[in-house]
Coordinates of all heavy atoms in Angstrom, one line a residue:
M1 N -13.9 9.0 14.1 CA -13.9 10.1 15.0 C -12.9 11.1 14.5 O -11.9 10.7 13.8 CB -13.6 9.6 16.4 CG -14.2 10.4 17.4 SD -13.9 9.7 19.1 CE -14.0 11.2 20.0
I2 N -13.0 12.4 14.9 CA -12.1 13.4 14.4 C -10.8 13.3 15.3 O -10.8 13.3 16.5 CB -12.8 14.8 14.6 CG1 -14.1 14.9 13.8 CG2 -11.8 15.9 14.2 CD1 -13.9 14.7 12.3
C3 N -9.7 13.3 14.5 CA -8.4 13.3 15.2 C -8.1 14.5 16.0 O -8.4 15.6 15.6 CB -7.3 13.1 14.1 SG -5.6 13.1 14.8
Q4 N -7.5 14.3 17.2 CA -7.1 15.4 18.0 C -5.6 15.5 18.2 O -5.1 16.3 19.0 CB -7.8 15.2 19.4 CG -9.3 15.1 19.4 CD -10.0 16.3 19.0 OE1 -9.6 17.4 19.3 NE2 -11.0 16.2 18.2
T5 N -4.9 14.7 17.5 CA -3.4 14.7 17.7 C -2.7 15.2 16.4 O -2.8 16.3 16.1 CB -2.9 13.3 18.1 OG1 -3.3 12.3 17.0 CG2 -3.6 12.8 19.4
I6 N -2.0 14.3 15.7 CA -1.2 14.6 14.5 C -2.0 15.3 13.4 O -1.7 16.3 12.9 CB -0.5 13.4 14.0 CG1 0.5 12.8 15.0 CG2 0.2 13.7 12.7 CD1 1.8 13.6 15.2
R7 N -3.2 14.6 13.1 CA -4.0 15.1 12.0 C -5.2 15.8 12.5 O -6.4 15.5 12.1 CB -4.4 14.0 11.1 CG -3.3 13.4 10.3 CD -3.9 12.2 9.6 NE -3.0 11.1 9.8 CZ -2.7 10.3 8.8 NH1 -3.2 10.4 7.7 NH2 -1.8 9.3 9.0
A8 N -5.1 16.7 13.4 CA -6.2 17.3 14.1 C -7.2 17.9 13.1 O -6.8 18.5 12.1 CB -5.7 18.5 15.0
G9 N -8.5 17.5 13.2 CA -9.5 17.9 12.4 C -9.9 16.9 11.3 O -10.9 17.1 10.6
S10 N -9.1 15.9 11.1 CA -9.4 14.9 10.0 C -10.1 13.7 10.6 O -9.8 13.3 11.8 CB -8.1 14.4 9.4 OG -7.3 15.4 9.0
E11 N -10.9 13.1 9.8 CA -11.6 11.9 10.3 C -10.6 10.7 10.4 O -9.7 10.6 9.5 CB -12.7 11.5 9.3 CG -13.6 10.3 9.6 CD -14.4 10.5 10.9 OE1 -14.9 11.6 11.2 OE2 -14.5 9.5 11.7
C12 N -10.6 10.0 11.4 CA -9.7 8.9 11.6 C -10.4 7.7 12.3 O -11.1 7.9 13.3 CB -8.5 9.3 12.4 SG -7.3 8.0 12.6
A13 N -10.1 6.5 11.8 CA -10.7 5.3 12.4 C -10.1 4.9 13.7 O -10.6 4.2 14.5 CB -10.6 4.1 11.4
F14 N -8.9 5.4 14.0 CA -8.2 5.0 15.2 C -8.5 5.9 16.4 O -8.1 5.7 17.5 CB -6.7 5.0 15.0 CG -6.2 4.0 14.0 CD1 -5.9 4.3 12.7 CD2 -6.2 2.6 14.4 CE1 -5.5 3.3 11.8 CE2 -5.8 1.6 13.5 CZ -5.4 2.0 12.3
M15 N -9.1 7.1 16.1 CA -9.4 8.0 17.2 C -10.5 7.5 18.0 O -11.5 7.0 17.5 CB -9.7 9.4 16.6 CG -9.6 10.5 17.6 SD -7.9 10.7 18.1 CE -8.1 11.7 19.5
T16 N -10.4 7.6 19.3 CA -11.4 7.2 20.3 C -11.6 8.3 21.3 O -10.8 9.2 21.4 CB -11.0 5.9 21.1 OG1 -9.9 6.3 21.9 CG2 -10.5 4.8 20.1
P17 N -12.7 8.2 22.1 CA -12.9 9.2 23.1 C -11.7 9.3 24.1 O -11.5 10.4 24.7 CB -14.2 8.8 23.8 CG -14.9 7.9 22.8 CD -13.8 7.3 22.0
N18 N -10.9 8.2 24.2 CA -9.8 8.2 25.1 C -8.5 8.6 24.4 O -7.4 8.5 25.0 CB -9.6 6.8 25.8 CG -10.9 6.5 26.6 OD1 -11.5 7.3 27.2 ND2 -11.2 5.2 26.5
G19 N -8.5 9.1 23.2 CA -7.3 9.4 22.5 C -7.1 8.5 21.3 O -7.9 7.6 21.0
C20 N -5.9 8.7 20.7 CA -5.6 7.9 19.5 C -5.4 6.4 20.0 O -4.6 6.1 20.9 CB -4.3 8.4 18.9 SG -3.7 7.4 17.5
G21 N -6.0 5.5 19.3 CA -6.0 4.1 19.6 C -4.9 3.4 18.8 O -4.7 2.2 19.0
Y22 N -4.2 4.1 17.9 CA -3.1 3.4 17.2 C -2.0 3.1 18.0 O -1.7 3.7 19.1 CB -2.7 4.3 16.0 CG -1.8 3.5 15.0 CD1 -2.3 2.4 14.3 CD2 -0.5 3.7 14.9 CE1 -1.5 1.7 13.4 CE2 0.4 3.0 14.1 CZ -0.2 2.0 13.4 OH 0.6 1.2 12.5
N23 N -1.2 2.1 17.6 CA 0.0 1.7 18.4 C 0.9 2.9 18.8 O 1.5 3.5 17.9 CB 0.8 0.7 17.5 CG 2.0 0.1 18.2 OD1 2.1 0.1 19.4 ND2 2.9 -0.4 17.4
G24 N 1.0 3.1 20.0 CA 1.8 4.3 20.5 C 1.0 5.6 20.6 O 1.5 6.6 21.0
G25 N -0.2 5.5 20.2 CA -1.1 6.7 20.3 C -0.8 7.8 19.3 O -1.1 9.0 19.6
T26 N -0.2 7.5 18.2 CA 0.2 8.6 17.2 C 0.4 8.0 15.9 O 0.7 6.8 15.8 CB 1.4 9.4 17.7 OG1 1.6 10.4 16.8 CG2 2.6 8.5 17.8
C27 N 0.4 8.8 14.8 CA 0.8 8.4 13.5 C 2.4 8.5 13.5 O 2.9 9.3 14.2 CB 0.3 9.3 12.4 SG -1.5 9.1 12.2
Y28 N 3.0 7.8 12.5 CA 4.4 7.8 12.4 C 4.8 8.5 11.0 O 4.1 8.4 10.1 CB 5.0 6.4 12.4 CG 4.8 5.8 13.8 CD1 3.7 5.1 14.1 CD2 5.7 6.0 14.8 CE1 3.4 4.5 15.3 CE2 5.5 5.5 16.0 CZ 4.4 4.7 16.3 OH 4.2 4.2 17.6
P29 N 5.9 9.2 11.0 CA 6.3 9.9 9.8 C 6.6 9.0 8.6 O 6.8 7.8 8.8 CB 7.6 10.6 10.2 CG 7.7 10.5 11.7 CD 6.9 9.4 12.1
I30 N 6.6 9.5 7.4 CA 6.9 8.7 6.2 C 8.3 8.2 6.3 O 9.1 8.7 7.0 CB 6.6 9.5 4.9 CG1 7.6 10.8 4.9 CG2 5.2 9.9 4.8 CD1 7.7 11.4 3.5
V31 N 8.6 7.2 5.5 CA 9.9 6.7 5.4 C 10.5 7.1 4.1 O 9.8 7.7 3.2 CB 9.9 5.1 5.5 CG1 9.5 4.7 6.9 CG2 9.0 4.5 4.5
E32 N 11.8 6.9 3.9 CA 12.5 7.3 2.7 C 11.8 6.9 1.4 O 11.7 7.7 0.4 CB 13.9 6.8 2.7 CG 14.8 7.4 1.7 CD 16.2 6.9 1.8 OE1 16.7 6.5 2.9 OE2 16.9 6.9 0.7
Q33 N 11.3 5.7 1.3 CA 10.7 5.1 0.1 C 9.4 5.9 -0.3 O 9.0 5.8 -1.4 CB 10.3 3.7 0.3 CG 11.5 2.8 0.5 CD 11.8 2.5 2.0 OE1 11.7 3.4 2.8 NE2 12.1 1.3 2.3
C34 N 8.8 6.6 0.7 CA 7.6 7.4 0.4 C 7.8 8.7 -0.4 O 6.9 9.2 -1.0 CB 6.9 7.7 1.7 SG 6.3 6.3 2.7
N35 N 9.1 9.1 -0.4 CA 9.4 10.4 -1.1 C 8.9 10.4 -2.5 O 9.3 9.4 -3.3 CB 10.9 10.7 -1.0 CG 11.3 11.2 0.4 OD1 10.5 11.9 1.1 ND2 12.4 10.7 0.8
G36 N 8.1 11.3 -2.9 CA 7.5 11.4 -4.3 C 6.1 10.9 -4.4 O 5.5 11.1 -5.4
C37 N 5.6 10.2 -3.3 CA 4.2 9.7 -3.4 C 3.3 10.9 -3.2 O 3.5 11.8 -2.4 CB 4.1 8.7 -2.3 SG 2.4 8.0 -2.2
Q38 N 2.2 10.8 -3.9 CA 1.2 11.9 -3.7 C 0.3 11.8 -2.5 O -0.5 12.7 -2.2 CB 0.2 11.9 -5.0 CG 1.0 12.3 -6.2 CD 0.1 12.1 -7.5 OE1 -1.1 11.7 -7.4 NE2 0.6 12.5 -8.6
K39 N 0.5 10.7 -1.7 CA -0.3 10.6 -0.5 C 0.5 11.2 0.7 O 0.0 11.2 1.8 CB -0.5 9.1 -0.2 CG -1.1 8.3 -1.3 CD -2.5 8.5 -1.4 CE -3.1 7.5 -2.4 NZ -4.3 7.9 -3.0
V40 N 1.7 11.8 0.5 CA 2.4 12.4 1.6 C 1.8 13.8 1.9 O 1.4 14.5 1.0 CB 3.9 12.6 1.2 CG1 4.6 13.4 2.2 CG2 4.6 11.3 0.9
V41 N 1.5 14.0 3.1 CA 1.0 15.3 3.6 C 1.9 16.0 4.5 O 2.5 15.3 5.4 CB -0.4 15.2 4.2 CG1 -1.5 14.8 3.2 CG2 -0.4 14.2 5.3
E42 N 2.1 17.3 4.4 CA 3.0 18.1 5.2 C 2.1 18.6 6.4 O 1.1 19.3 6.1 CB 3.6 19.2 4.5 CG 4.4 18.9 3.3 CD 5.9 18.9 3.5 OE1 6.3 19.2 4.6 OE2 6.6 18.5 2.6
L43 N 2.5 18.3 7.6 CA 1.7 18.8 8.8 C 2.8 19.5 9.7 O 4.0 19.4 9.4 CB 1.1 17.6 9.5 CG 0.1 16.8 8.7 CD1 -0.4 15.6 9.4 CD2 -1.2 17.7 8.3
S44 N 2.3 20.1 10.7 CA 3.2 20.9 11.5 C 4.2 19.9 12.2 O 5.3 20.4 12.5 CB 2.4 21.6 12.6 OG 1.6 20.7 13.3
G45 N 3.8 18.7 12.4 CA 4.7 17.7 13.1 C 5.7 17.0 12.2 O 6.5 16.2 12.6
G46 N 5.6 17.3 10.9 CA 6.4 16.6 9.9 C 5.7 16.1 8.7 O 4.6 16.7 8.4
R47 N 6.2 15.1 8.0 CA 5.6 14.6 6.8 C 5.0 13.2 7.1 O 5.7 12.4 7.6 CB 6.6 14.5 5.7 CG 7.2 15.9 5.4 CD 8.3 15.8 4.3 NE 7.7 15.6 3.0 CZ 8.3 15.0 2.0 NH1 9.5 14.6 2.2 NH2 7.6 14.8 0.9
F48 N 3.7 13.1 6.8 CA 3.0 11.9 7.1 C 2.2 11.4 5.9 O 2.1 12.1 4.9 CB 1.9 12.1 8.2 CG 2.6 12.5 9.5 CD1 2.9 13.8 9.8 CD2 2.9 11.6 10.5 CE1 3.6 14.2 11.0 CE2 3.5 11.9 11.7 CZ 3.9 13.2 11.9
C49 N 1.8 10.1 6.0 CA 1.0 9.5 4.9 C -0.5 9.8 5.2 O -0.9 9.8 6.3 CB 1.2 8.0 4.9 SG 0.1 7.2 3.7
A50 N -1.2 10.2 4.1 CA -2.6 10.5 4.2 C -3.5 9.4 4.6 O -4.6 9.5 5.1 CB -3.1 11.2 2.9
I51 N -3.0 8.1 4.3 CA -3.9 7.0 4.5 C -3.4 5.9 5.5 O -4.2 5.2 6.1 CB -4.2 6.3 3.2 CG1 -3.0 6.0 2.4 CG2 -5.3 7.1 2.4 CD1 -3.3 5.3 1.0
Y52 N -2.1 5.8 5.7 CA -1.5 4.8 6.6 C -0.9 5.5 7.8 O 0.0 6.4 7.7 CB -0.5 3.9 5.9 CG -1.1 3.1 4.9 CD1 -0.7 3.2 3.5 CD2 -2.1 2.2 5.1 CE1 -1.2 2.4 2.5 CE2 -2.7 1.4 4.1 CZ -2.2 1.6 2.8 OH -2.8 0.8 1.8
P53 N -1.2 5.0 9.0 CA -0.6 5.7 10.2 C 0.9 5.3 10.4 O 1.6 6.1 11.0 CB -1.4 5.1 11.4 CG -2.0 3.9 10.9 CD -2.2 4.1 9.4
N54 N 1.3 4.2 9.8 CA 2.8 3.8 10.0 C 3.3 3.3 8.6 O 3.3 2.1 8.3 CB 2.9 2.7 11.0 CG 4.3 2.5 11.4 OD1 5.2 3.0 10.8 ND2 4.5 1.7 12.5
P55 N 3.8 4.2 7.8 CA 4.3 3.9 6.5 C 5.4 2.9 6.4 O 5.5 2.1 5.5 CB 4.8 5.2 5.9 CG 4.0 6.3 6.6 CD 3.8 5.7 8.0
S56 N 6.2 2.8 7.5 CA 7.3 1.8 7.4 C 6.8 0.4 7.3 O 7.4 -0.5 6.7 CB 8.2 2.0 8.7 OG 7.5 1.6 9.8
I57 N 5.6 0.1 7.9 CA 5.1 -1.2 7.8 C 4.7 -1.6 6.3 O 4.9 -2.7 5.9 CB 3.8 -1.4 8.7 CG1 4.3 -1.3 10.1 CG2 3.0 -2.6 8.4 CD1 3.1 -1.3 11.1
K58 N 4.2 -0.6 5.6 CA 3.8 -0.8 4.2 C 5.0 -1.1 3.3 O 4.9 -1.7 2.2 CB 3.1 0.5 3.6 CG 1.8 0.8 4.3 CD 0.9 -0.4 4.3 CE 0.3 -0.7 2.9 NZ -0.6 -1.8 2.9
W59 N 6.2 -0.7 3.7 CA 7.4 -1.0 2.9 C 8.3 -2.1 3.5 O 9.3 -2.4 3.0 CB 8.3 0.3 2.8 CG 7.7 1.3 1.9 CD1 6.9 2.3 2.3 CD2 7.8 1.4 0.5 NE1 6.5 3.1 1.2 CE2 7.0 2.5 0.1 CE3 8.5 0.6 -0.4 CZ2 7.0 2.9 -1.2 CZ3 8.4 1.0 -1.8 CH2 7.6 2.1 -2.1
K60 N 7.8 -2.7 4.5 CA 8.7 -3.7 5.2 C 9.0 -4.9 4.4 O 10.1 -5.3 4.3 CB 7.9 -4.2 6.5 CG 8.8 -5.0 7.4 CD 8.0 -5.2 8.7 CE 8.9 -6.0 9.7 NZ 8.2 -6.4 10.9
N61 N 8.0 -5.5 3.7 CA 8.3 -6.7 2.9 C 8.3 -6.5 1.4 O 8.7 -7.3 0.6 CB 7.2 -7.7 3.2 CG 7.3 -8.2 4.7 OD1 8.4 -8.3 5.2 ND2 6.2 -8.3 5.3
S62 N 7.7 -5.4 0.9 CA 7.6 -5.1 -0.5 C 7.2 -3.7 -0.8 O 7.3 -2.9 0.1 CB 6.6 -6.1 -1.0 OG 5.8 -5.6 -2.0
I63 N 6.8 -3.4 -2.0 CA 6.5 -2.0 -2.4 C 5.1 -1.7 -1.8 O 4.2 -2.6 -1.8 CB 6.4 -1.9 -3.9 CG1 7.8 -2.1 -4.5 CG2 5.8 -0.6 -4.3 CD1 7.9 -2.2 -6.0
C64 N 4.9 -0.5 -1.3 CA 3.6 -0.1 -0.8 C 2.5 -0.2 -1.9 O 2.7 0.3 -2.9 CB 3.7 1.3 -0.2 SG 2.0 2.0 0.2
N65 N 1.4 -0.9 -1.6 CA 0.4 -1.1 -2.6 C -0.3 0.2 -3.0 O -1.0 0.2 -4.0 CB -0.5 -2.2 -2.2 CG -1.3 -1.9 -0.9 OD1 -0.8 -1.2 0.0 ND2 -2.5 -2.3 -0.8
M66 N -0.2 1.2 -2.2 CA -0.9 2.5 -2.5 C 0.0 3.6 -3.0 O -0.4 4.7 -3.2 CB -1.7 2.9 -1.3 CG -2.9 2.0 -0.9 SD -4.1 1.8 -2.1 CE -4.9 3.4 -2.0
A67 N 1.3 3.2 -3.2 CA 2.2 4.2 -3.6 C 1.9 4.7 -5.0 O 1.5 3.9 -5.9 CB 3.6 3.6 -3.6
T68 N 2.0 6.0 -5.2 CA 1.6 6.6 -6.5 C 2.9 6.9 -7.4 O 2.7 7.2 -8.6 CB 0.9 8.0 -6.4 OG1 1.8 8.8 -5.6 CG2 -0.4 7.8 -5.6
H69 N 4.0 6.7 -6.8 CA 5.3 7.0 -7.5 C 6.1 5.8 -8.0 O 7.1 6.0 -8.6 CB 6.1 7.9 -6.7 CG 6.5 7.3 -5.3 ND1 5.7 6.7 -4.5 CD2 7.7 7.2 -4.8 CE1 6.3 6.3 -3.4 NE2 7.6 6.5 -3.6
V70 N 5.7 4.6 -7.7 CA 6.3 3.4 -8.1 C 5.3 2.5 -8.6 O 4.2 2.4 -8.2 CB 7.2 2.8 -7.0 CG1 8.4 3.6 -6.7 CG2 6.3 2.5 -5.8
K71 N 5.7 1.7 -9.6 CA 4.8 0.7 -10.1 C 5.4 -0.7 -9.9 O 6.6 -0.9 -10.1 CB 4.6 0.9 -11.6 CG 3.8 2.2 -11.9 CD 3.1 2.1 -13.2 CE 2.2 3.3 -13.2 NZ 1.7 3.8 -14.3
V72 N 4.5 -1.7 -9.6 CA 5.0 -3.0 -9.5 C 5.2 -3.6 -10.9 O 4.3 -3.5 -11.7 CB 3.9 -3.9 -8.7 CG1 4.4 -5.3 -8.6 CG2 3.7 -3.2 -7.4
E73 N 6.4 -4.2 -11.1 CA 6.7 -4.8 -12.4 C 6.2 -6.2 -12.4 O 6.6 -7.0 -11.6 CB 8.1 -4.7 -12.7 CG 8.6 -3.2 -12.8 CD 9.7 -3.1 -13.9 OE1 10.1 -4.1 -14.5 OE2 10.2 -2.0 -14.0
I74 N 5.3 -6.5 -13.4 CA 4.8 -7.9 -13.5 C 5.8 -8.7 -14.4 O 6.1 -8.2 -15.5 CB 3.4 -7.9 -14.1 CG1 2.5 -7.1 -13.2 CG2 2.9 -9.3 -14.3 CD1 1.1 -6.8 -13.8
P75 N 6.3 -9.8 -14.0 CA 7.2 -10.6 -14.8 C 6.6 -10.9 -16.2 O 5.4 -11.1 -16.3 CB 7.4 -11.9 -14.1 CG 7.0 -11.6 -12.7 CD 6.0 -10.5 -12.7
K76 N 7.5 -10.9 -17.2 CA 7.0 -11.0 -18.6 C 6.2 -12.3 -18.8 O 5.3 -12.3 -19.6 CB 8.2 -10.9 -19.6 CG 7.8 -10.6 -21.0 CD 8.9 -10.2 -21.8 CE 8.4 -9.7 -23.2 NZ 9.4 -9.0 -23.9
Q77 N 6.6 -13.3 -18.1 CA 5.9 -14.6 -18.3 C 4.4 -14.5 -17.9 O 3.6 -15.1 -18.6 CB 6.6 -15.7 -17.4 CG 7.9 -16.1 -17.9 CD 8.6 -17.0 -16.9 OE1 8.3 -16.9 -15.7 NE2 9.5 -17.8 -17.4
Q78 N 4.1 -13.7 -16.9 CA 2.7 -13.5 -16.5 C 2.0 -12.6 -17.5 O 0.8 -12.6 -17.5 CB 2.7 -13.0 -15.1 CG 3.1 -14.0 -14.1 CD 3.1 -13.4 -12.7 OE1 2.6 -12.3 -12.4 NE2 3.6 -14.2 -11.7
Q79 N 2.7 -11.8 -18.2 CA 2.0 -10.9 -19.1 C 1.6 -11.5 -20.4 O 0.6 -11.1 -21.0 CB 3.0 -9.7 -19.5 CG 3.3 -8.8 -18.3 CD 4.2 -7.7 -18.7 OE1 4.9 -7.8 -19.8 NE2 4.4 -6.7 -17.9
E80 N 2.2 -12.7 -20.8 CA 1.8 -13.3 -22.0 C 0.4 -13.9 -21.9 O 0.0 -14.5 -20.9 CB 2.8 -14.5 -22.3 CG 4.2 -14.0 -22.6 CD 5.2 -15.2 -22.7 OE1 4.7 -16.3 -22.7 OE2 6.4 -14.9 -22.8
K81 N -0.3 -13.6 -23.0 CA -1.7 -14.1 -23.0 C -1.8 -15.6 -23.2 O -1.0 -16.1 -24.0 CB -2.5 -13.3 -24.0 CG -2.8 -11.9 -23.6 CD -3.9 -11.4 -24.3 CE -4.2 -10.0 -23.7 NZ -5.5 -9.5 -24.2
I82 N -2.7 -16.2 -22.6 CA -2.8 -17.7 -22.8 C -4.1 -17.9 -23.6 O -5.1 -17.4 -23.4 CB -3.0 -18.4 -21.4 CG1 -1.7 -18.2 -20.6 CG2 -3.4 -19.8 -21.6 CD1 -1.9 -18.6 -19.1
N83 N -3.9 -18.7 -24.7 CA -5.0 -19.1 -25.5 C -5.9 -20.0 -24.7 O -5.5 -21.1 -24.4 CB -4.5 -19.7 -26.8 CG -5.6 -20.1 -27.7 OD1 -6.7 -20.4 -27.3 ND2 -5.3 -20.1 -29.0
P84 N -7.1 -19.6 -24.4 CA -8.0 -20.5 -23.5 C -8.3 -21.8 -24.1 O -8.4 -22.8 -23.4 CB -9.3 -19.6 -23.4 CG -9.2 -18.5 -24.4 CD -7.8 -18.4 -24.8
L85 N -8.4 -21.9 -25.5 CA -8.6 -23.2 -26.1 C -7.5 -24.2 -25.9 O -7.6 -25.3 -25.5 CB -8.9 -23.0 -27.6 CG -9.4 -24.3 -28.4 CD1 -10.6 -24.9 -27.7 CD2 -9.6 -23.9 -29.8
K86 N -6.2 -23.7 -26.1 CA -5.0 -24.5 -25.9 C -4.9 -24.9 -24.5 O -4.5 -26.0 -24.1 CB -3.8 -23.8 -26.4 CG -3.7 -23.7 -27.9 CD -2.4 -23.0 -28.4 CE -2.3 -23.0 -29.9 NZ -1.1 -22.3 -30.3
A87 N -5.1 -23.9 -23.6 CA -5.0 -24.2 -22.2 C -6.0 -25.3 -21.7 O -5.7 -26.2 -20.9 CB -5.3 -22.9 -21.4
S88 N -7.2 -25.3 -22.3 CA -8.2 -26.3 -22.0 C -7.7 -27.7 -22.5 O -7.8 -28.6 -21.8 CB -9.5 -25.9 -22.7 OG -10.4 -26.9 -22.5
K89 N -7.2 -27.7 -23.7 CA -6.7 -29.0 -24.2 C -5.5 -29.5 -23.4 O -5.4 -30.7 -23.1 CB -6.2 -28.8 -25.7 CG -7.4 -28.7 -26.7 CD -6.8 -28.5 -28.1 CE -8.0 -28.4 -29.1 NZ -7.5 -28.1 -30.4
R90 N -4.6 -28.6 -23.0 CA -3.5 -29.0 -22.2 C -3.9 -29.6 -20.9 O -3.4 -30.6 -20.4 CB -2.6 -27.8 -21.9 CG -1.2 -27.8 -22.6 CD -0.4 -26.6 -22.3 NE -0.5 -25.7 -23.4 CZ -0.6 -24.4 -23.2 NH1 -0.6 -23.8 -22.0 NH2 -0.7 -23.6 -24.3
S91 N -4.9 -28.9 -20.2 CA -5.3 -29.5 -18.9 C -6.1 -30.8 -19.1 O -6.0 -31.6 -18.2 CB -6.2 -28.4 -18.2 OG -7.5 -28.3 -18.9
A92 N -6.8 -31.0 -20.2 CA -7.5 -32.2 -20.5 C -6.5 -33.3 -20.7 O -6.7 -34.5 -20.2 CB -8.4 -32.1 -21.7
K93 N -5.4 -33.1 -21.4 CA -4.4 -34.1 -21.5 C -3.7 -34.5 -20.2 O -3.4 -35.6 -20.0 CB -3.3 -33.6 -22.5 CG -3.6 -33.6 -23.9 CD -2.5 -33.2 -24.8 CE -2.8 -33.1 -26.2 NZ -1.8 -32.5 -27.0
G94 N -3.6 -33.5 -19.4 CA -2.9 -33.8 -18.1 C -3.8 -34.6 -17.1 O -3.3 -35.3 -16.3
K95 N -5.1 -34.6 -17.3 CA -6.0 -35.3 -16.4 C -6.0 -36.8 -16.7 O -6.4 -37.6 -15.9 CB -7.4 -34.7 -16.5 CG -7.5 -33.4 -15.9 CD -8.9 -32.8 -16.0 CE -9.0 -31.4 -15.4 NZ -10.2 -30.8 -15.5
K96 N -5.7 -37.2 -18.0 CA -5.8 -38.6 -18.4 C -4.7 -39.4 -17.8 O -3.6 -39.1 -17.5 CB -5.8 -38.7 -19.9 CG -7.2 -38.2 -20.4 CD -7.2 -38.4 -21.9 CE -8.5 -37.8 -22.5 NZ -8.6 -37.9 -23.9
Ligands
SF4_101 S1 0.7 5.5 0.2 FE1 2.5 4.2 0.7 S2 4.2 5.2 -0.4 FE2 2.5 6.7 -0.3 S3 3.0 7.9 1.5 FE3 1.6 6.3 2.2 S4 2.9 4.6 2.9 FE4 4.2 6.0 1.7

């Protein structure tokens, strides 16, 4: 349904005929970690995320998975390629 509050005119899954159905009935502004992300939109009420109604939740436990300005670093051990033949032999030895 079309938003009638913060993002007036935009399609939103939380909008209902009785108003915004999101927690508190509104979107929440971006948090400090969002600065630099391309999903930030400037609206009359402040700066908001284009896809998440409450950006602080996306940063609560880790890096926001949709952030465009930061990349998740994969530990080097996980980046090493595993030879499938050797891995197969290793697992076969382990089963005996
Ligand atoms: S996508 Fe994530 S980092 Fe970017 S503005 Fe939204 S909540 Fe913030």
Side-chain angles (χ1 to χ4, degrees):
M1 211 174 151
I2 303 296
C3 178
Q4 304 294 321
T5 59
I6 298 282
R7 292 175 225 221
S10 308
E11 182 66 35
C12 181
F14 294 105
M15 198 66 197
T16 69
N18 299 325
C20 179
Y22 190 69
N23 184 18
T26 184
C27 290
Y28 293 90
I30 60 163
V31 292
E32 190 180 333
Q33 295 96 318
C34 296
N35 287 323
C37 181
Q38 292 175 358
K39 308 282 187 204
V40 174
V41 289
E42 302 260 356
L43 300 172
S44 58
R47 301 174 76 207
F48 295 87
C49 175
I51 47 179
Y52 295 119
N54 192 351
S56 66
I57 291 174
K58 297 304 293 181
W59 287 95
K60 193 173 180 183
N61 297 322
S62 141
I63 294 171
C64 172
N65 61 326
M66 293 301 284
T68 60
H69 60 310
V70 288
K71 292 202 171 167
V72 178
E73 295 214 3
I74 299 167
K76 198 165 189 167
Q77 291 172 333
Q78 290 180 7
Q79 291 178 347
E80 291 174 8
K81 289 202 171 189
I82 296 169
N83 181 331
L85 186 58
K86 286 183 179 177
S88 173
K89 285 180 180 175
R90 248 182 262 137
S91 69
K93 282 182 184 174
K95 289 180 183 174
K96 288 181 183 178

